[in-house]
Amino acid sequence: MHVELHRFLARFVGTVLLVLIPVVFTAFVSLPLTLNRHPGEAASVQMPPQHMT
């Protein structure tokens, strides 16, 4: 592989990861807070249905 191509790909992958990590973390943390439960848990019968808007 050409040296310049290797450097470009390394920087590109690093940049993509640096951008995606905070986005994934924010979604992972905020979704249970918005739903008031974890996505895999059954919804509580006592709670009225809520929209995420």
Side-chain angles (χ1 to χ4, degrees), residues 9-24:
L9 289 176
R11 281 188 157 194
F12 181 75
V13 169
T15 303
V16 169
L17 286 178
L18 283 175
V19 169
L20 283 180
I21 288 172
V23 172
V24 170

Side-chain angles (χ1 to χ4, degrees), residues 1-50:
M1 184 183 299
H2 196 270
V3 175
E4 291 296 322
L5 179 61
H6 188 268
R7 279 189 207 151
F8 171 74
L9 289 176
R11 281 188 157 194
F12 181 75
V13 169
T15 303
V16 169
L17 286 178
L18 283 175
V19 169
L20 283 180
I21 288 172
V23 172
V24 170
F25 177 75
T26 302
F28 183 76
V29 169
S30 66
L31 191 60
L33 293 174
T34 303
L35 294 174
N36 292 328
R37 62 182 172 86
H38 288 282
E41 294 177 351
S44 177
V45 178
Q46 299 170 352
M47 283 181 24
Q50 295 178 348

